[in-house]
Amino acid sequence: MSLSPLTYLYRAYLGFVLLFIALPMIVVLAASVSPTTRVTFEFWTWTTDWFAQLWTSRWLDPFVLSAKIAAIVAVVTGVLATLAAYAVAYEKVPGHDAIMSFLLSPLAVPQIVKGVAIVLFFSSAGLYQYLGTPGLVLGHVVLTLPFAVRMIATAMYNFDKNLDRAARILGANRWQRIYHVLLPLIKPGIFSGMTFAFILSFNDVPLALFLVRPGETTLPITVINYYEYGLDPVLAAVNVASLLFLLAVIFLFERIGGFTAQIHGGSK
């Protein structure tokens, strides 16, 4: 069966979009294995020497700190967002619309403003010494909570309450119904929110600019500081390594939570 000209046009357009999205990453990948600062696509000259430089404390320490903060933020955000979504989307407490608007309100505030506000809060409260990891965790939770609440609330809205009613008729109490019925069915929404929180925290720059302190510098800020010495393929290697790490995290979260079911609508 022959395809219509419109189908060919659609496929060509889709291919162009995919190429446009992938092209920057292709260039970065080529830069990370080029033997000099000049990007080359002569693959027979490529080298992995730049990746060997990543196994030093200059890059490993910021990477470990960023991963640790992102993991903490993902867990804290997942718990808080699940509790908030349960109250707003499932139980629908009085004023749930206003509460949801309040929970989503940080989206309307630029991240730089959030960073300044958190610094001022710690300073005025006499907690300036807690800037660094505690401040970054707090700032990133504020940053990621609205996204996670929205994703988990969507899963709550799509939950069939007839299942909860059936469990109650069979004698299950509230906690048994939540643990054995509700949580397994909204797991894709929870893990999609946690994955989003992890990625946002790991890659954050605007908040980290205000909240890091000497000795506790995240990987994105280390990359920015490295620009002072000029551009070289090490930065490209850092970006490629970070991308591979995040892809591994996404794959792990997907295997545990099946969040693609949440994206496509439905349950796994």
Side-chain angles (χ1 to χ4, degrees), residues 241-258:
S242 298
L243 176 62
L244 294 177
F245 171 71
L246 289 177
L247 288 176
V249 170
I250 292 172
F251 177 79
L252 176 63
F253 277 44
E254 159 60 20
R255 297 297 297 173
I256 298 174

Side-chain angles (χ1 to χ4, degrees), residues 117-263:
I118 293 174
V119 170
L120 292 176
F121 168 75
F122 273 87
S123 179
S124 61
L127 303 173
Y128 198 79
Q129 68 273 20
Y130 291 106
L131 286 177
T133 299
L136 283 168
V137 170
L138 175 62
H140 289 175
V141 169
V142 173
L143 169 66
T144 59
L145 189 61
F147 298 98
V149 168
R150 190 61 182 171
M151 293 176 180
I152 300 174
T154 300
M156 293 271 190
Y157 280 126
N158 294 331
F159 176 74
D160 186 359
K161 288 194 174 183
N162 288 326
L163 299 175
D164 180 78
R165 189 175 299 109
R168 186 171 65 250
I169 293 173
L170 293 173
N173 59 39
R174 176 187 291 270
W175 296 111
Q176 289 174 328
R177 300 198 306 272
I178 292 175
Y179 184 78
H180 293 288
V181 180
L182 179 62
L183 287 179
L185 292 178
I186 67 168
K187 185 172 68 171
I190 295 175
F191 274 88
S192 63
M194 291 177 63
T195 304
F196 209 79
F198 189 98
I199 295 172
L200 282 178
S201 175
F202 188 84
N203 289 326
D204 172 69
V205 172
L207 288 178
L209 281 172
F210 295 93
L211 300 176
V212 296
R213 63 183 179 184
E216 294 186 5
T217 305
T218 59
L219 185 61
I221 301 303
T222 303
V223 170
I224 291 176
N225 292 336
Y226 193 81
Y227 279 125
E228 297 178 6
Y229 304 97
L231 293 173
D232 64 44
V234 172
L235 294 177
V238 171
N239 289 329
V240 172
S242 298
L243 176 62
L244 294 177
F245 171 71
L246 289 177
L247 288 176
V249 170
I250 292 172
F251 177 79
L252 176 63
F253 277 44
E254 159 60 20
R255 297 297 297 173
I256 298 174
F259 60 81
T260 52
Q262 171 75 6
I263 296 174

Side-chain angles (χ1 to χ4, degrees), residues 14-117:
L14 180 60
F16 173 78
V17 171
L18 294 177
L19 179 63
F20 181 79
I21 294 173
L23 188 59
M25 195 60 233
I26 294 174
V27 174
V28 172
L29 179 61
S32 69
V33 292
S34 295
T36 64
T37 56
R38 178 178 173 271
V39 180
T40 176
F41 290 93
E42 299 173 349
F43 63 88
W44 56 88
T45 64
W46 287 354
T47 177
T48 58
D49 292 343
W50 305 111
F51 287 92
Q53 297 187 28
L54 304 184
W55 297 97
T56 61
S57 60
R58 179 172 195 170
W59 298 109
L60 279 179
D61 291 347
F63 169 79
V64 171
L65 178 63
S66 293
K68 180 178 70 174
I69 292 174
I72 295 173
V73 169
V75 173
V76 173
T77 299
V79 172
L80 294 180
T82 301
L83 295 174
Y86 180 82
V88 174
Y90 190 82
E91 293 293 343
K92 294 187 177 180
V93 297
H96 59 88
D97 288 335
I99 296 174
M100 177 61 80
S101 298
F102 175 77
L103 291 172
L104 299 180
S105 61
L107 295 175
V109 181
Q111 292 187 36
I112 292 180
V113 176
K114 296 175 191 174
V116 174

